[in-house]
Amino acid sequence: MKQATFASLAFQQKKKQTRRERFLTEMEAVVPWAALLAAIEPHYPKA
């Protein structure tokens, strides 16, 4: 296991959020995932 340095820990705290991360965070809040999965589950092929 690689040991973390003080600089790397400080950098992780101040990391700027990317557009992708902002988009995914917003989608998690907006999309009703349980209802969506329940709607498509009957049509999804069983393994």
Side-chain angles (χ1 to χ4, degrees), residues 30-42:
V30 174
V31 175
W33 291 109
L36 181 63
L37 291 175
I40 64 171
E41 195 266 334

Side-chain angles (χ1 to χ4, degrees), residues 16-27:
K16 185 176 179 182
Q17 193 176 34
T18 64
R19 262 196 244 168
R20 179 182 182 191
E21 290 169 334
R22 280 188 307 231
F23 172 76
L24 292 175
T25 301
E26 186 176 335
M27 290 302 290

